[in-house]
Amino acid sequence: MRTVEEHRAAVAALLPPLGEEEVPLAEAHGRVLARDVAAAVALPGFDNSAMDGYAARWTEVSRTPVTLPVADDIPAGRTDVVPLAPGTVQRIMTGAPLPPGADVVVPVELTDGGTDVVEIRDAPPAGSHLRAAGEDIAEGTVALEAGSPLGATQLGLAAAVGVTVLPVRRRPQVLVLSTGSELVAPGQPLLPGQIYESNSRLLVAAVEEAGGVARRLHFVPDDVEQFLTTVRAEVASADLLITSGGVSAGAYEVVKDAFRELGTVEFVKVPMQPGGPQGAGTVDGVPVVTLPGNPVSAFVSFEVFVRPALRRAMGHASPDRLHVPARLTGPLRSPAGRRQFLRGRFDGGQVSQVGGPGSHLVAHLARANCLVVVPQDVTELSAGAEVDVVLIEGALQ
């Protein structure tokens, strides 16, 4: 028997930090930053206007109404801005450089909009509608921190501060293999006792959502020799092998039988539901994690053990899913001695259970957007009780 936390640590220990590589900005989406990146330029790079209006000296416009000549036009992108002459204003556009001498921008809405001479009917306080050079970020300071996932806003910032290449962690190469003589490829005719193979599709997508690169191996029947031949022909190219099925206590458990012969994979029971039987170790020096075969068990096991280990190896500063408290919309029961990961639907601080606890209920899993965590010493919760909810990214509406 191994606790959830102990098995999480065992799986994490199999995956050391992945190497670093540099990629162009255009190829960095979804990657994880390996090192801090400094701003090559300040943001803003120069004092500029936050409004369309008139650059002025506040002392000359503070007593309104006042009429002043418009000495110049400053559109965004102009590079030859001249100082503001006393007793004049300059018409200025949002983002345009502020002329030396100006200390306020009067919005066009407070004027008559004149182009040669303008009447200023009201004036904001001194310093209004100005963006100071470097007020967002100073040149040379850290713009993006190591461990940051590179999404739209991070890539936008990188481009804004003049970065063209980013240091990122290498994406893990993951092999996914399902086992079971009952499995048939989707689309093929089913005989009595057969089912369509779905775990590999589920797990490949889960690996990719976590940031890895996944490849399906053709699922194999419950044959130890064929299983080992398939694994050893491919495993050297991977950072991790994930198997599903063949790890329970019954007969024909091909994964357990095959890897026990090698003596490098440890099989344990974890007090959780779904996903009790687990395994972790190495095959020919390559990390392997063995998951149960029921689809919900495979998914929950991946979420609890594999996903955080992959993301930690990729350098994520926050490898775990977001946990939030929520109130149950209805009562629930849970067997003693096992930590439950129930499918749920989270909305507005409340969570409702989706379907029963059965590990075969794939349709209910597809409708869930979170996992409701029930501690193993809790057997009953009433409606309104607060529970820990794990938000499943990508499933939220």
Side-chain angles (χ1 to χ4, degrees), residues 349-362:
Q350 293 188 316
V351 65
S352 54
Q353 186 175 349
V354 177
S359 57
H360 62 294
L361 300 176
V362 186

Side-chain angles (χ1 to χ4, degrees), residues 232-252:
R232 288 187 137 157
E234 303 284 352
V235 74
S237 64
D239 297 301
L240 174 67
L241 169 67
I242 300 174
T243 68
S244 67
V247 295
S248 295
Y252 307 106

